[in-house]
Amino acid sequence: MESTERCLYRQMLCDRSVVALRRICWIATIVALIGPIAMLATFVSFFVIAIVYLLLICAVILTLGTVLLREEFRDLFHFGENFNIDEFMIPLYEILQSVLPAALAIGALCGIAAVVWAQLRRNEKSPVGTTVSVVIALVLMAISAVIFYAFPYFGLQ
C-alpha cells in the first residue's frame, strides 16, 4: 500500500501537468493569433491614413484654400508617403508560414492531452475549468488558422 505522502505528490504532479499542458495550449493559441492581429493592424493603419487625408481635405475646404498658403500645412499631405507596412508584414508573414503549423499542432496535442487527463482524473478534481479553457483556446486557434490560410497577406508577392 502506498503512503499518503506519495499519493499527495502524485496528485500534485498530475494537477501541475494538466495546468502545464493547458498553458502550452494557450501559448500556442497566442502565437497563432499573431497573424490575424497583424493583418487587422494593416487594414486599420490604411483606414487611419485615409481619415487623416480626409481631415486635411476638410480643413482645406473649410478655410477656402487659404490654409494651403502655409508650407507647414502642405507638408502634412506627405504624411503617408514614407509609410510602408510591407517592410514589416512580408517577413512576419513568411515567418508565420513556418511557425503556425507547428504552433497549431503543439497546441492541439497539448489541449487534447490536458482535457483527456483532466477527464481521467475527474474523481479527484472537477475537469470543467480545464475543458472550457482548452475548448476556447482550440476554437480561437481554428479561427486564426482559417483567417491566416484563407486570406493570404495581399502584399506578399
Side-chain angles (χ1 to χ4, degrees), residues 49-67:
I49 289 174
I51 288 172
V52 167
Y53 280 129
L54 183 65
L55 291 174
L56 289 173
I57 291 170
C58 287
V60 169
I61 292 171
L62 288 175
T63 61
L64 301 174
T66 57
V67 75

mmCIF file of all heavy atoms in Angstrom, residues 49-67:
data_model
loop_
_atom_site.group_PDB
_atom_site.id
_atom_site.type_symbol
_atom_site.label_atom_id
_atom_site.label_comp_id
_atom_site.label_asym_id
_atom_site.label_seq_id
_atom_site.Cartn_x
_atom_site.Cartn_y
_atom_site.Cartn_z
ATOM 1 N N ILE A 49 -4.778 56.351 -42.241
ATOM 2 C CA ILE A 49 -4.188 57.232 -43.251
ATOM 3 C C ILE A 49 -5.288 57.899 -44.080
ATOM 4 O O ILE A 49 -5.236 59.107 -44.353
ATOM 5 C CB ILE A 49 -3.204 56.456 -44.148
ATOM 6 C CG1 ILE A 49 -1.959 56.099 -43.357
ATOM 7 C CG2 ILE A 49 -2.828 57.265 -45.381
ATOM 8 C CD1 ILE A 49 -0.997 55.203 -44.101
ATOM 9 N N ALA A 50 -6.299 57.134 -44.457
ATOM 10 C CA ALA A 50 -7.400 57.708 -45.239
ATOM 11 C C ALA A 50 -8.146 58.764 -44.441
ATOM 12 O O ALA A 50 -8.514 59.816 -44.984
ATOM 13 C CB ALA A 50 -8.355 56.601 -45.679
ATOM 14 N N ILE A 51 -8.356 58.536 -43.160
ATOM 15 C CA ILE A 51 -9.059 59.515 -42.321
ATOM 16 C C ILE A 51 -8.226 60.787 -42.159
ATOM 17 O O ILE A 51 -8.763 61.891 -42.184
ATOM 18 C CB ILE A 51 -9.423 58.889 -40.963
ATOM 19 C CG1 ILE A 51 -10.544 57.875 -41.153
ATOM 20 C CG2 ILE A 51 -9.828 59.946 -39.951
ATOM 21 C CD1 ILE A 51 -10.866 57.055 -39.932
ATOM 22 N N VAL A 52 -6.912 60.638 -42.024
ATOM 23 C CA VAL A 52 -6.048 61.817 -41.900
ATOM 24 C C VAL A 52 -6.124 62.655 -43.171
ATOM 25 O O VAL A 52 -6.261 63.889 -43.112
ATOM 26 C CB VAL A 52 -4.595 61.403 -41.588
ATOM 27 C CG1 VAL A 52 -3.636 62.569 -41.772
ATOM 28 C CG2 VAL A 52 -4.491 60.852 -40.182
ATOM 29 N N TYR A 53 -6.062 62.002 -44.337
ATOM 30 C CA TYR A 53 -6.178 62.750 -45.587
ATOM 31 C C TYR A 53 -7.550 63.410 -45.715
ATOM 32 O O TYR A 53 -7.674 64.539 -46.200
ATOM 33 C CB TYR A 53 -5.917 61.854 -46.798
ATOM 34 C CG TYR A 53 -4.450 61.624 -47.056
ATOM 35 C CD1 TYR A 53 -3.953 60.337 -47.219
ATOM 36 C CD2 TYR A 53 -3.566 62.683 -47.150
ATOM 37 C CE1 TYR A 53 -2.609 60.128 -47.460
ATOM 38 C CE2 TYR A 53 -2.228 62.485 -47.392
ATOM 39 C CZ TYR A 53 -1.760 61.201 -47.548
ATOM 40 O OH TYR A 53 -0.428 61.002 -47.778
ATOM 41 N N LEU A 54 -8.590 62.711 -45.287
ATOM 42 C CA LEU A 54 -9.929 63.285 -45.332
ATOM 43 C C LEU A 54 -10.037 64.522 -44.439
ATOM 44 O O LEU A 54 -10.621 65.536 -44.840
ATOM 45 C CB LEU A 54 -10.966 62.241 -44.904
ATOM 46 C CG LEU A 54 -12.421 62.661 -44.953
ATOM 47 C CD1 LEU A 54 -12.847 62.942 -46.392
ATOM 48 C CD2 LEU A 54 -13.295 61.595 -44.336
ATOM 49 N N LEU A 55 -9.447 64.468 -43.264
ATOM 50 C CA LEU A 55 -9.452 65.631 -42.371
ATOM 51 C C LEU A 55 -8.656 66.794 -42.960
ATOM 52 O O LEU A 55 -9.060 67.960 -42.826
ATOM 53 C CB LEU A 55 -8.902 65.244 -40.999
ATOM 54 C CG LEU A 55 -9.780 64.310 -40.160
ATOM 55 C CD1 LEU A 55 -9.058 63.899 -38.890
ATOM 56 C CD2 LEU A 55 -11.096 64.992 -39.836
ATOM 57 N N LEU A 56 -7.539 66.499 -43.605
ATOM 58 C CA LEU A 56 -6.767 67.562 -44.244
ATOM 59 C C LEU A 56 -7.561 68.217 -45.370
ATOM 60 O O LEU A 56 -7.559 69.443 -45.529
ATOM 61 C CB LEU A 56 -5.443 67.008 -44.771
ATOM 62 C CG LEU A 56 -4.403 66.626 -43.728
ATOM 63 C CD1 LEU A 56 -3.222 65.943 -44.390
ATOM 64 C CD2 LEU A 56 -3.946 67.849 -42.957
ATOM 65 N N ILE A 57 -8.251 67.410 -46.161
ATOM 66 C CA ILE A 57 -9.073 67.961 -47.249
ATOM 67 C C ILE A 57 -10.218 68.792 -46.681
ATOM 68 O O ILE A 57 -10.543 69.864 -47.217
ATOM 69 C CB ILE A 57 -9.579 66.823 -48.159
ATOM 70 C CG1 ILE A 57 -8.392 66.223 -48.930
ATOM 71 C CG2 ILE A 57 -10.653 67.302 -49.113
ATOM 72 C CD1 ILE A 57 -8.711 64.946 -49.664
ATOM 73 N N CYS A 58 -10.817 68.326 -45.591
ATOM 74 C CA CYS A 58 -11.883 69.107 -44.943
ATOM 75 C C CYS A 58 -11.351 70.446 -44.442
ATOM 76 O O CYS A 58 -12.039 71.472 -44.552
ATOM 77 C CB CYS A 58 -12.495 68.322 -43.794
ATOM 78 S SG CYS A 58 -13.540 66.961 -44.335
ATOM 79 N N ALA A 59 -10.131 70.450 -43.913
ATOM 80 C CA ALA A 59 -9.546 71.705 -43.441
ATOM 81 C C ALA A 59 -9.330 72.665 -44.602
ATOM 82 O O ALA A 59 -9.543 73.878 -44.469
ATOM 83 C CB ALA A 59 -8.231 71.430 -42.719
ATOM 84 N N VAL A 60 -8.924 72.142 -45.745
ATOM 85 C CA VAL A 60 -8.730 72.986 -46.931
ATOM 86 C C VAL A 60 -10.068 73.566 -47.387
ATOM 87 O O VAL A 60 -10.172 74.754 -47.699
ATOM 88 C CB VAL A 60 -8.060 72.180 -48.069
ATOM 89 C CG1 VAL A 60 -8.100 72.953 -49.380
ATOM 90 C CG2 VAL A 60 -6.636 71.831 -47.697
ATOM 91 N N ILE A 61 -11.096 72.738 -47.414
ATOM 92 C CA ILE A 61 -12.417 73.209 -47.857
ATOM 93 C C ILE A 61 -12.982 74.239 -46.889
ATOM 94 O O ILE A 61 -13.539 75.267 -47.304
ATOM 95 C CB ILE A 61 -13.375 72.009 -48.029
ATOM 96 C CG1 ILE A 61 -12.913 71.159 -49.217
ATOM 97 C CG2 ILE A 61 -14.820 72.466 -48.225
ATOM 98 C CD1 ILE A 61 -13.650 69.844 -49.356
ATOM 99 N N LEU A 62 -12.851 73.987 -45.580
ATOM 100 C CA LEU A 62 -13.403 74.920 -44.591
ATOM 101 C C LEU A 62 -12.705 76.277 -44.599
ATOM 102 O O LEU A 62 -13.319 77.298 -44.307
ATOM 103 C CB LEU A 62 -13.321 74.306 -43.189
ATOM 104 C CG LEU A 62 -14.296 73.162 -42.910
ATOM 105 C CD1 LEU A 62 -14.025 72.559 -41.548
ATOM 106 C CD2 LEU A 62 -15.723 73.669 -42.998
ATOM 107 N N THR A 63 -11.420 76.297 -44.932
ATOM 108 C CA THR A 63 -10.699 77.570 -44.954
ATOM 109 C C THR A 63 -10.666 78.176 -46.348
ATOM 110 O O THR A 63 -9.954 79.152 -46.582
ATOM 111 C CB THR A 63 -9.258 77.370 -44.457
ATOM 112 O OG1 THR A 63 -8.592 76.450 -45.318
ATOM 113 C CG2 THR A 63 -9.234 76.904 -43.028
ATOM 114 N N LEU A 64 -11.418 77.581 -47.268
ATOM 115 C CA LEU A 64 -11.488 78.037 -48.653
ATOM 116 C C LEU A 64 -10.108 78.077 -49.304
ATOM 117 O O LEU A 64 -9.814 78.954 -50.134
ATOM 118 C CB LEU A 64 -12.178 79.407 -48.737
ATOM 119 C CG LEU A 64 -13.609 79.439 -48.191
ATOM 120 C CD1 LEU A 64 -14.121 80.871 -48.208
ATOM 121 C CD2 LEU A 64 -14.508 78.530 -49.000
ATOM 122 N N GLY A 65 -9.255 77.172 -48.926
ATOM 123 C CA GLY A 65 -7.948 77.025 -49.550
ATOM 124 C C GLY A 65 -6.865 77.928 -49.014
ATOM 125 O O GLY A 65 -5.715 77.816 -49.431
ATOM 126 N N THR A 66 -7.195 78.845 -48.117
ATOM 127 C CA THR A 66 -6.167 79.765 -47.626
ATOM 128 C C THR A 66 -5.135 79.061 -46.752
ATOM 129 O O THR A 66 -4.005 79.549 -46.647
ATOM 130 C CB THR A 66 -6.805 80.905 -46.809
ATOM 131 O OG1 THR A 66 -7.560 80.362 -45.742
ATOM 132 C CG2 THR A 66 -7.683 81.774 -47.699
ATOM 133 N N VAL A 67 -5.501 77.943 -46.166
ATOM 134 C CA VAL A 67 -4.548 77.216 -45.324
ATOM 135 C C VAL A 67 -3.424 76.605 -46.172
ATOM 136 O O VAL A 67 -2.342 76.317 -45.682
ATOM 137 C CB VAL A 67 -5.278 76.154 -44.471
ATOM 138 C CG1 VAL A 67 -5.678 74.955 -45.301
ATOM 139 C CG2 VAL A 67 -4.445 75.706 -43.303
#
